[in-house]
Amino acid sequence: MVQERLPDERIDTLSLQILIDRDTCMGSGNCVFWAPGTFDLGDDGISVVLEPAEGEERQMFLAQEGCPTRAISLWRDGVEVTSP
Amino acid sequence: MVRVSLDETVGEPAPFDPFELQDTVTGDIRDPYPRMADLRRQSAVHFGNIDFIGSDDPEPPLVSEVPVPVSVFGHDEVVCALRDDRTYSSTVYEGIMGVVMGPTILQMDAPRHKVQRALVSPAFRSRILERWETELVRSVVDDLIDAFAARGRADLVRELNFGFPVQVIARILGLPMVDYPKFQEWTIGLISVASNWDRAMAASEELRVYLTAVIGQRRRQPADDLISDLVVAEIEGERLSDEEILAFLRLLLPAGVETTYRATGNLLFGLLQHPEQLEALRNDRALFPQAFEESLRWEPPVTVILRKTLKDAVLGGVPIPANSDVGLFLGAANRDDRRYADPDTFDMFRQAQQHVGFGFGVHMCLGMHLARMEARVAVNAILDRLDDIRFDPDADDDPHIHGMAFRSPTSLPVCFSPR
């Protein structure tokens, strides 16, 4: 079955920490496509986190899930979280 | 009585018609998805050749020329294999596309793949591509639309989609416009390798001669184009050999031409079939990304990619021996009903989810940002300029998406308010 829609009120209370494994990142730029307010590519072509954009939590999960090399992980209170 | 004249073999060759070659590449299969869904319900991983037409059809399978001993139809299983490039090797392409293209990144594993990809990828970043959007793509698309805008009807496959990606990639490479028709012919020649060896080898050789001259010329006199960038590209002392540049260019033509025209066609087909979605997009162009991503999920232009297992593996609970050729069915993964509700429906308003229309893992489509931009510019131009566009009810045609390894519409006969 498909994933459940994440209730908006829960999104607003999420405080996510974003980690990028720079050795694994291939610079596909797919994270920038899905969450352009949160990610960018640095001059070396490796993904960097901008200020995590307000209201872009769902897109962050899409970016994490859409990373072709699993270089992005999302954490809350020291626990890794995946797409709900 | 029909008399075959010998003159036909010595006279002027018929003008090149790219569409004459299409079926040899695609296979004329209208809808392989119900069969894939049946197979997936049995198991996400299958062994042996698969008959995609179905056992009740007397026709032999059209894809059997390339043996695919293992076939994977589940979404999670396809993603798992594509992410595990140490087990599922791309070297399987050495004996397929490598024969006509040379040593491309398509067939490389780590560590050489990572180096090469890093050398060529800067040119395909979305920010770098911005310059091409107005300077090149929109103007190419507008020129093509100019040719039929006053007519009130057109076949968008022949008159728009097939014409613009080749001009875009050729300009980015820096190749002269007068040669564009040749690229299209060579492109189809290259990807026909499984069905027409002689045509593929001839195209490969003609491209080698043509591109070798261009590479040499750019070494002597760099210009503002991708080939000039490639000859000087260097990362930590690593550079591309002439053979690798040549191979990459021979990969770029089909990759940049074939896939984009097919993907744009599939999006337009979905939109024309669902006028309410077309209208929603016309009124809010910010919806374009979700519309295009949904079309790539629903009908990816490339439906299957291949890998070879370097060691024994287990996928979806099924053991796969080392040295197996593994067909990863992107199209089937994108319609896995364990992941997507109502997967056979084109619905740009479904909640966004990742798909594998661009592949996944370290080989994920290098040109995806270019494809997204090109399709956006083309569809925006259509919506800006062709009012009230719809499938032409009077067209003597039966437009449908067809193909097996590559899928796209046979035609897109549309009518609209002429200007």
Side-chain angles (χ1 to χ4, degrees):
Chain A
M1 193 38 207
V2 293
Q3 64 191 65
E4 296 289 324
R5 179 181 284 268
L6 189 61
D8 286 355
E9 58 273 25
R10 222 182 106 202
I11 287 175
D12 291 340
T13 62
L14 289 176
S15 53
L16 292 169
Q17 191 187 9
I18 302 167
L19 291 183
I20 294 171
D21 182 338
R22 293 182 55 82
D23 291 332
T24 309
C25 173
M26 64 181 278
S28 77
N30 214 27
C31 53
V32 186
F33 171 75
W34 286 101
T38 301
F39 297 95
D40 198 3
L41 292 188
D43 292 338
D44 57 0
I46 301 299
S47 178
V48 292
V49 181
L50 309 168
E51 281 297 300
E54 196 73 23
E56 216 181 50
E57 284 84 355
R58 183 175 288 140
Q59 288 91 323
M60 290 178 206
F61 280 110
L62 282 167
Q64 182 262 335
E65 195 190 16
C67 174
T69 55
R70 249 188 203 133
I72 300 171
S73 55
L74 301 177
W75 300 74
R76 190 173 53 228
D77 302 329
V79 179
E80 185 171 0
V81 287
T82 52
S83 188
Chain B
M1 179 183 148
V2 178
R3 195 174 67 87
V4 178
S5 162
L6 283 176
D7 290 349
E8 285 179 13
T9 61
V10 293
E12 280 292 300
F16 169 64
D17 178 4
F19 292 89
E20 170 244 332
L21 293 169
Q22 293 295 299
D23 279 355
T24 66
V25 174
T26 60
D28 186 21
I29 295 177
R30 190 179 280 232
D31 189 2
Y33 288 113
R35 176 87 175 123
M36 290 187 195
D38 279 350
L39 290 162
R40 186 177 51 243
R41 270 178 220 114
Q42 296 162 29
S43 172
V45 179
H46 284 262
F47 290 85
N49 285 319
I50 306 285
D51 174 3
F52 280 100
I53 295 177
S55 51
D56 53 347
D57 193 306
E59 291 293 315
L62 291 173
V63 290
S64 59
E65 292 145 21
V66 181
V68 183
V70 181
S71 301
V72 183
F73 298 110
H75 174 276
D76 291 357
E77 291 80 7
V78 165
V79 166
C80 185
L82 287 175
R83 275 180 155 156
D84 183 4
D85 58 306
R86 288 171 195 279
T87 304
Y88 297 88
S89 166
S90 292
T91 54
V92 65
Y93 281 113
E94 288 171 4
I96 311 169
M97 299 318 285
V99 177
V100 286
M101 292 177 183
T104 70
I105 54 174
L106 197 70
Q107 66 184 49
M108 287 178 192
D109 288 339
R112 186 61 190 161
H113 173 265
K114 186 166 186 173
V115 172
Q116 278 232 358
R117 174 108 181 188
L119 284 167
V120 298
S121 62
F124 294 89
R125 288 186 197 138
S126 45
R127 194 164 302 148
I128 301 296
L129 294 169
E130 280 171 13
R131 67 170 279 206
W132 300 115
E133 179 168 342
T134 43
E135 180 183 317
L136 172 65
V137 184
R138 179 71 196 223
S139 108
V140 165
V141 168
D142 273 338
D143 284 351
L144 290 166
I145 293 178
D146 284 346
F148 60 76
R151 200 193 308 149
R153 47 179 29 99
D155 173 8
L156 295 181
V157 171
R158 281 174 179 259
E159 297 184 73
L160 178 61
N161 296 354
F162 206 73
F164 83 87
V166 68
Q167 296 190 46
V168 171
I169 198 72
R171 169 61 191 93
I172 291 175
L173 293 176
L175 303 175
M177 188 181 276
V178 65
D179 297 329
Y180 289 179
K182 295 291 291 176
F183 304 143
Q184 216 141 27
E185 187 173 353
W186 287 332
T187 289
I188 292 173
L190 288 182
I191 64 168
S192 303
V193 61
S195 56
N196 193 330
W197 174 266
D198 291 342
R199 190 191 289 274
M201 294 309 287
S204 173
E205 177 58 18
E206 286 174 39
L207 265 169
R208 187 188 65 76
V209 171
Y210 178 87
L211 291 170
T212 301
V214 179
I215 294 167
Q217 201 275 335
R218 293 301 191 281
R219 279 206 190 283
R220 293 188 296 275
Q221 193 177 2
D224 176 26
D225 59 43
L226 180 63
I227 296 178
S228 303
D229 292 345
L230 292 177
V231 298
V232 298
E234 181 173 333
I235 294 180
E236 292 169 6
E238 297 272 4
R239 300 182 67 143
L240 296 165
S241 69
D242 272 9
E243 191 193 12
E244 287 170 334
I245 294 174
L246 175 64
F248 182 63
L249 296 177
R250 282 196 291 210
L251 166 64
L252 268 195
L253 278 178
V257 173
E258 268 291 308
T259 50
T260 307
Y261 110 81
R262 292 184 191 281
T264 306
N266 291 343
L267 169 62
L268 287 167
F269 193 91
L271 291 171
L272 289 162
Q273 256 193 337
H274 298 87
E276 74 290 351
Q277 295 185 46
L278 181 71
E279 204 47 35
L281 179 59
R282 181 193 298 283
N283 295 329
D284 182 3
R285 306 301 173 81
L287 297 173
F288 181 84
Q290 66 195 65
F292 190 45
E293 298 305 307
E294 169 63 356
S295 77
L296 290 162
R297 182 202 66 80
W298 176 63
E299 282 284 6
V302 177
T303 64
V304 58
I305 51 183
L306 304 178
R307 294 291 186 264
K308 183 187 280 292
T309 48
L310 295 179
K311 53 192 176 198
D312 290 347
V314 177
L315 194 58
V318 179
I320 299 176
N323 292 315
S324 297
D325 285 352
V326 182
L328 301 167
F329 284 78
L330 306 178
N334 277 347
R335 295 197 188 199
D336 189 334
D337 59 6
R338 296 171 297 180
R339 177 175 168 86
Y340 306 98
D342 196 12
D344 295 325
T345 301
F346 173 81
D347 176 10
M348 62 185 260
F349 294 111
R350 69 172 66 236
Q351 182 172 355
Q353 270 182 290
Q354 290 302 331
H355 59 82
V356 290
F358 285 123
F360 227 58
V362 295
H363 289 273
M364 189 174 190
C365 179
L366 174 66
M368 64 181 162
H369 303 300
L370 177 59
R372 283 163 170 157
M373 184 265 276
E374 285 184 274
R376 173 167 49 81
V377 171
V379 170
N380 273 336
I382 288 169
L383 294 175
D384 288 345
R385 301 188 54 188
L386 306 177
D387 294 333
D388 199 25
I389 188 171
R390 59 202 182 276
F391 270 130
D392 185 348
D394 299 326
D396 180 22
D397 207 345
D398 168 30
H400 59 275
I401 293 175
H402 78 153
M404 187 57 229
F406 300 91
R407 282 178 65 75
S408 59
T410 50
S411 63
L412 287 167
V414 294
C415 55
F416 45 86
S417 305
R419 287 198 197 172

